Each structure stands twice: as C-alpha cells, then as structure tokens.
Amino acid sequence: MKKVGGIGRIIIFAFLCTGAVSPGELCAGKPFQGYAARHAEEQRILEKALDADPRDHVAATRLGEVYWQKGKKKAAIKLFRRAIRAAPEYSPPYFFIGKAYFFEKKPEKGTAQFDIFERKMDVLISSDKSLTDFYVSCLYHMSYLYSTLKRYEDVAGGYKKIIKIKPDEQKAHYNLAVGYYKYYNRRQMAYKELKRAIEIDTNRHLSNKAEFFIEYMRKNPDLRYTEDISFIEE
C-alpha cells in the first residue's frame, strides 16, 4: 500500500476540488458548458491515474465523486469501496459511502459509516488543522441527514463538534439555538447560542435573524402557543 503523505492537503483536495460552480454558471449556456468540460477533463485525468495505479485511493475517491455527480451511482459506490480497501485509514470514502446509503434509503448503514468517518477524523484533526474546513463541511451535511431521521441528539452533537473545532462558527451557534428551542424547549440555552451568534457577527444577515429570534422568544414565552416558527430555520 502506498504511504499517505500530507494527508490533510490530500483530503481537502479530494473533497473541495470539485470544480464547484457558481449560481450564475448553473444557468444554461456557455458557462455551464465550460463547467461540464472541466468535469470531463478531470474525469479523464482521474481515470488515467487509476489505470496507472489501481490502488490510488485519492483518485478513486475523487473519481467516485465525479461519477456520483453525473448520476453513475453504482460506479461511484464501487470506487468509494475500492478506496477503503486500498487505504482503510483514509477518511473521505467513509463519508461518501454514508451519503450513498442515505440515498439508497438505508440510513442505519449510512450512520454506521458516518461513525467510522468521525472516529478517524477526530484523530486526524488533532494533529492536522488543515482538515478543519473539510471536517466542518461534512459535519454540517451529516447533521442535516440526521435531522431527516429526527435524531436530534446527533444533530446537536454535530453542531457542538463544529463549535469545538471552530468556536467562531456563527452558523453552528445559530443552528444549535434552533435545536434547543424547537426540539428541547431549552430557551436559556437557545438564548445563549443566539447571543454568541450575534457577537461573532461575520454574517450580518444571520445576526439579524438571531436578534429577531430573541425578540420573538421574549414576545412568546410559552412554546406551546407560538405561531409558525419557520422563519428561524437556517
């Protein structure tokens, strides 16, 4: 097996270098054609890399992402599993396999993969801070998927972990406040997280929502008789 070098940089490349497209590029026309061309070129490069080294787990993971985005779900899953076999210590494939299980309506298998992913990432993050943005992005996505299962403890756990990794992550404080208020009726905890979100103030729109949320709680002291609270959702 190849020794993994610079794993933080490799993971970030595998997850974030997706040829991300801006909202404008999603419109029909030449920009979208350029986006498709970039993905086609990336696919050719990755397929060539795997032909040269079938155990290249980074290339297998990234190619799996490309296939997934193109709707080749089964081929993508095979590549994620191939990456795990080649390098069991490499974290990203477990996350992508977990997402795939959710897509296949097998959430219990998906959460099992997420558990493996978190254990491995918790070890890596302690020694390589370059993994921070990658891990935070994954935790947000996992929290969303847990919310679809109404596993609110896991949702809150994801936001708490994000805050532990990045104490000034405003969105995580806000989302945690929503959970405390909406699912646990822990108004004081919600208030605390909202105040923290306002103090951070990296996103004024979110700060304004937090301020409005606090005012709403003051005017509606009994959660049982509140009106529609869809406005608080982030």
Side-chain angles (χ1 to χ4, degrees), residues 163 167-170 173-174 190-201 207 210 214:
I163 291 168
D168 291 337
E169 181 69 13
Q170 187 184 34
H173 285 284
Y174 183 88
Y191 178 80
K192 177 182 177 182
E193 296 300 329
L194 290 170
K195 291 293 289 184
R196 183 70 186 111
I198 294 168
E199 290 170 1
I200 295 168
D201 197 25
S207 297
I214 288 173

Side-chain angles (χ1 to χ4, degrees), residues 171-191:
K171 182 178 177 181
H173 285 284
Y174 183 88
N175 286 1
L176 185 56
V178 172
Y180 280 141
Y181 180 79
K182 188 173 181 180
Y183 303 117
Y184 300 106
N185 195 21
R186 298 179 65 181
R187 299 170 66 88
Q188 288 301 315
M189 295 298 292
Y191 178 80

Side-chain angles (χ1 to χ4, degrees), residues 212-230:
F212 186 80
F213 192 170
I214 288 173
E215 184 63 22
Y216 182 87
M217 286 197 295
R218 287 172 177 162
K219 292 179 178 179
N220 297 273
D222 193 334
L223 183 61
R224 292 174 298 174
Y225 302 107
T226 55
E227 300 172 356
D228 176 44
I229 58 172
S230 59

Side-chain angles (χ1 to χ4, degrees), residues 54-105:
R55 294 181 64 80
D56 187 336
H57 52 283
V58 177
T61 303
R62 177 61 195 131
L63 184 59
E65 289 184 83
V66 172
Y67 281 175
W68 186 272
Q69 292 160 6
K70 296 181 72 172
K72 299 179 179 180
K73 309 299 186 185
K74 291 183 178 179
I77 292 170
K78 286 182 180 179
L79 284 167
F80 297 143
R81 289 176 174 155
R82 175 175 172 178
I84 290 171
R85 288 194 300 271
E89 76 280 11
Y90 187 60
S91 306
Y94 297 99
F95 171 71
F96 296 122
I97 284 284
K99 287 207 307 181
Y101 276 128
F102 270 86
F103 178 82
E104 294 180 339
K105 301 187 186 303

Side-chain angles (χ1 to χ4, degrees), residues 3 20 54 66 68 72 103 107 115 117-118 129 131 157 202 207:
K3 183 177 180 180
V66 172
W68 186 272
K72 299 179 179 180
F103 178 82
D115 288 344
F117 170 74
E118 280 199 64
K129 299 304 180 185
L131 300 175
T202 57
S207 297

